[in-house]
């Protein structure tokens, strides 16, 4: 059985072309924690040369706190983050993912069928979480009913 949940009011911040070591990420996550911001999804690209992109999602309510600490995080690293708010998290939970090849392929094929944008993806053993702009979330939720 597949369960699909949607959660509104999510923001995301993405840092591109940062060093592939975890020092920057560690400093960012520590500053965010000290500001009392609860992180939800975390995503990182595979290294390209010695660089990665790294980001995370959090509640829209925490945007002011994040903006307050952003210069502290980025000033000495020469990094410009991309921040987006008003997004929706869609969580797909299914035991089928544990033992069925192609489940993720079906998910992304359905999303592609409505030409929807996906901002961030994180996965677990039996779940896929997608962060999508609010404007496309209804189409995605509707088409995912076909899983």
């Amino acid at each position: 059985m597949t369960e699909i949940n949607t959660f509104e009011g999510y923001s995301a911040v993405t840092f591109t072309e940062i060093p592939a070591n975890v020092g920057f990420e560690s400093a960012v996550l520590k500053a965010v924690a000290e500001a009392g911001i609860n992180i939800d999804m975390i995503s990182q690209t595979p290294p390209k040369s010695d660089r990665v992109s790294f980001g995370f999602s959090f509640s829209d309510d925490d945007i002011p706190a994040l903006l307050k600490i952003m210069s502290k995080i980025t000033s000495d690293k020469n990094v410009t983050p991309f921040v987006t708010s008003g997004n929706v998290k869609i969580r797909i939970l299914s035991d089928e993912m544990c033992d069925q090849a192609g489940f993720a392929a079906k998910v992304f094929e359905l999303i592609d069928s409505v030409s929807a944008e996906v901002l961030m993806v994180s996965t677990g053993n039996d779940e896929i979480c997608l962060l999508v702009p609010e404007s496309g979330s209804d189409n995605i939720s509707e088409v995912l009913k076909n899983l």
Side-chain angles (χ1 to χ4, degrees):
M1 183 172 149
T2 300
E3 181 181 327
I4 300 169
N5 306 103
T6 58
F7 308 92
E8 296 180 353
Y10 277 84
S11 292
V13 61
T14 305
F15 303 91
T16 58
E17 298 296 315
I18 62 169
N21 64 48
V22 297
F24 179 79
E25 294 156 317
S26 175
V28 168
L29 295 173
K30 181 177 179 181
V32 168
E34 289 172 351
I37 299 170
N38 185 30
I39 292 175
D40 185 40
M41 300 166 61
I42 299 175
S43 182
Q44 178 184 303
T45 62
K48 179 181 175 186
S49 185
D50 64 341
R51 304 305 225 179
V52 297
S53 292
F54 159 72
F56 55 87
S57 65
F58 57 98
S59 171
D60 281 347
D61 295 338
D62 288 326
I63 284 269
L66 181 79
L67 295 177
K68 189 182 251 186
I69 64 167
M70 193 56 63
S71 64
K72 174 186 171 190
I73 293 171
T74 59
S75 64
D76 63 333
K77 301 295 183 191
N78 196 25
V79 175
T80 303
F82 174 72
V83 180
T84 179
S85 62
N87 302 302
V88 174
K89 175 182 163 182
I90 299 175
R91 183 177 139 244
I92 304 151
L93 181 66
S94 179
D95 289 335
E96 293 176 42
M97 286 184 230
C98 298
D99 56 6
Q100 178 187 15
F103 191 90
K106 283 194 271 185
V107 168
F108 282 88
E109 183 177 42
L110 288 168
I111 293 169
D112 184 49
S113 74
V114 293
S115 301
E117 181 180 9
V118 175
L119 302 172
M120 187 178 289
V121 178
S122 69
T123 64
N125 191 42
D126 61 351
E127 74 175 3
I128 299 172
C129 292
L130 309 164
L131 190 69
V132 301
E134 185 176 11
S135 60
S137 63
D138 289 341
N139 291 342
I140 294 172
S141 294
E142 188 61 34
V143 75
L144 288 177
K145 291 178 183 176
N146 295 318
L147 282 173

